[in-house]
Each structure stands twice: as structure tokens, then as C-alpha cells.
Amino acid sequence: MLRDRSVACICLLLTALAWSTPITLFEEVEGIDNDRMEWSCPRPILSALPDAVDLDALRVELIGSPNETVKSQHPQCRMLNGTQLVLGLLSLAGALWKGRIWWLSTAGARAEKKFERLHAKTSGKPKGMLN
């Protein structure tokens, strides 16, 4: 069984991965030579809703440069980045929820340690103006 602290850390890791890693595996687009295309997507945290890709303009660019590789964002990036952003928010909410449960469950132990630390250094003799 995982502890609340471990689950919170895993959720934070998943949030970082979802927000910082762009998806690089795409479906093929009809009417476009995918061997000559270099598809990309921006990071979801930097561009939640990237610009839409005009496929007709992309086809014209492919026809205009027959031997070159064309770089472009994939048409699915707009949907995928929004999905990744929502998944990251859900994971962050899970991390905050489990982190709060862990923090509240360890409050008593932290208070006892603080109490021991505060009272361990006293000698029992009055200090200051009471001398």
C-alpha cells in the first residue's frame, strides 16, 4: 500500500510530465505524404491552444518543394494539448488532495517534535530580569 506522501509525489511527477512533454506519435493525415513531413507539437504548458493548421496550405507547400522535408505542427495538436493540460490539472488536484491528507495526518507528530525541541533546551532556571 502506498503512503499518501508517495501518491502526492507520483501525482506531481505525472503533472510535470503531462505539461512538459509534447506528444510525438500522430495518425497519418489523408492526402499528405507523411514520409516528407516532420510533425511536431508545442509543449502543452507553453501553448494550451496552438494555432490551427491549414491542410490546404500544407499540401501546396509540399507540392512546391518536391524534395524537401516540410516542418509543421500536426492538426491534432490543438486537441491533444488541451487534453494534456486538463490531465495535468487533474493530476495536480490529486497531488494537492493527497498532500493535504498527509499533512493533516502528520500534524500531531510535528507538534510533538516542536514541543520537545522548545522544552529540551531549558535548564529550569529563570533568565533575564528575574535573576
Side-chain angles (χ1 to χ4, degrees):
M1 182 156 170
L2 290 173
R3 295 180 178 179
D4 291 333
R5 173 180 61 195
S6 301
V7 173
C9 289
I10 291 170
C11 286
L12 283 176
L13 178 69
L14 289 175
T15 300
L17 283 174
W19 283 352
S20 66
T21 307
I23 293 178
T24 57
L25 185 63
F26 302 109
E27 294 179 4
E28 294 185 3
V29 179
E30 291 183 31
I32 293 182
D33 184 11
N34 287 304
D35 295 334
R36 292 185 41 219
M37 288 300 302
E38 188 175 321
W39 298 114
S40 67
C41 260
R43 292 187 174 174
I45 194 70
L46 299 177
S47 179
L49 290 173
D51 297 332
V53 176
D54 185 14
L55 292 177
D56 293 330
L58 201 55
R59 288 183 184 107
V60 169
E61 189 175 347
L62 280 170
I63 291 170
S65 56
N67 296 328
E68 295 178 16
T69 302
V70 177
K71 297 179 182 180
S72 174
Q73 289 186 3
H74 198 273
Q76 294 175 339
C77 286
R78 189 170 178 87
M79 178 188 61
L80 292 174
N81 278 14
T83 303
Q84 279 184 276
L85 194 64
V86 169
L87 288 174
L89 285 173
L90 289 173
S91 179
L92 182 63
L96 292 174
W97 176 60
K98 278 300 197 179
R100 180 166 162 47
I101 290 173
W102 168 68
W103 186 258
L104 292 175
S105 68
T106 59
R110 283 194 315 276
E112 286 178 14
K113 283 183 184 178
K114 185 176 180 181
F115 183 81
E116 288 175 8
R117 204 175 2 171
L118 287 173
H119 294 286
K121 296 180 183 177
T122 60
S123 63
K125 296 180 183 177
K127 295 182 181 178
M129 294 182 67
L130 298 175
N131 290 353

